[in-house]
Amino acid sequence: HDAIQSAQIVYLEGYLFDPEAARKAFFRTADFARGNGAKVAFTLSDPFCVDRHREAFRSFIRDRVDIVFANEKELRSLYPGASFDEACAALGAECDLAAITRSEKGSVILQGDRAVKVPAMPVSKLVDATGAGDHYAAGFMFGLGTGRDLEACARLGSLAASEVITHVGP
């Protein structure tokens, strides 16, 4: 409880949503965090996670999440059959803030009906994408926590992700 009480943002990982006890912990943690003034961030983690829990993820996002992190495949899995733009509009209507990563296409930050497109950082060579999404989220949340605007948050996320993909392992 102490760590959550002192946090500005609590980050929850979609990979951990499978067991029933974990889902209950997600809800309790989100409620406790928000009750103590923290934002709740949630990453969709993987299209397979989204496929397994699509409606539960959407309900959790609508009811308890302030910030969603996803890559394009995860977003498209959350809204099957929707185009990228349609899926962005749908997610923007269901949460306060979302950051969608698109690999070399950069990222799109959604806030209401506003979409901020930020280019990817150039990298010399992609070696291993493991950890890129989490590093992006870390950089983005660092930016939020230090009062930067959304474009700067996305650039920080992109910078962190661009570093980790240049070597093996996160």
Side-chain angles (χ1 to χ4, degrees):
H1 278 78
D2 290 345
I4 295 170
Q5 271 184 311
S6 65
Q8 286 182 304
I9 304 170
V10 174
Y11 183 67
L12 300 172
E13 181 74 57
Y15 279 123
L16 303 175
F17 205 80
D18 281 326
E20 172 107 15
R23 274 193 304 281
K24 288 179 181 176
F26 269 58
F27 292 111
R28 289 182 61 208
T29 299
D31 291 344
F32 185 77
R34 290 177 105 191
N36 283 281
K39 299 284 186 193
V40 175
F42 180 56
T43 177
L44 300 185
S45 296
D46 187 280
F48 297 113
C49 291
V50 178
D51 289 343
R52 283 194 305 275
H53 303 291
R54 182 174 296 109
E55 291 311 313
F57 274 18
R58 288 189 61 195
S59 176
F60 184 63
I61 289 167
R62 280 191 305 268
D63 297 341
R64 291 180 167 91
V65 173
D66 301 293
I67 307 161
V68 173
F69 291 96
N71 65 33
E72 186 171 356
K73 288 180 183 175
E74 294 157 0
L75 174 69
R76 300 287 296 274
S77 185
L78 192 62
Y79 303 99
S83 69
F84 177 75
D85 290 337
E86 290 167 341
C88 284
L91 182 58
E94 292 187 338
C95 69
D96 294 337
L97 181 62
I100 311 302
T101 58
R102 304 183 79 190
S103 301
E104 71 279 354
K105 295 178 189 172
S107 60
V108 177
I109 312 308
L110 308 170
Q111 189 174 46
D113 59 359
R114 179 177 168 223
V116 177
K117 296 178 182 177
V118 179
M121 291 283 184
V123 294
S124 55
K125 183 179 179 186
L126 170 64
V127 175
D128 180 6
T130 304
D134 287 329
H135 279 72
Y136 180 93
F140 189 96
M141 289 186 289
F142 172 80
L144 278 180
T146 55
R148 289 172 168 83
D149 65 32
L150 295 179
E151 187 174 341
C153 293
R155 284 195 317 269
L156 287 166
S158 184
L159 177 64
S162 71
E163 191 286 322
V164 76
I165 64 175
T166 62
H167 55 81
V168 175

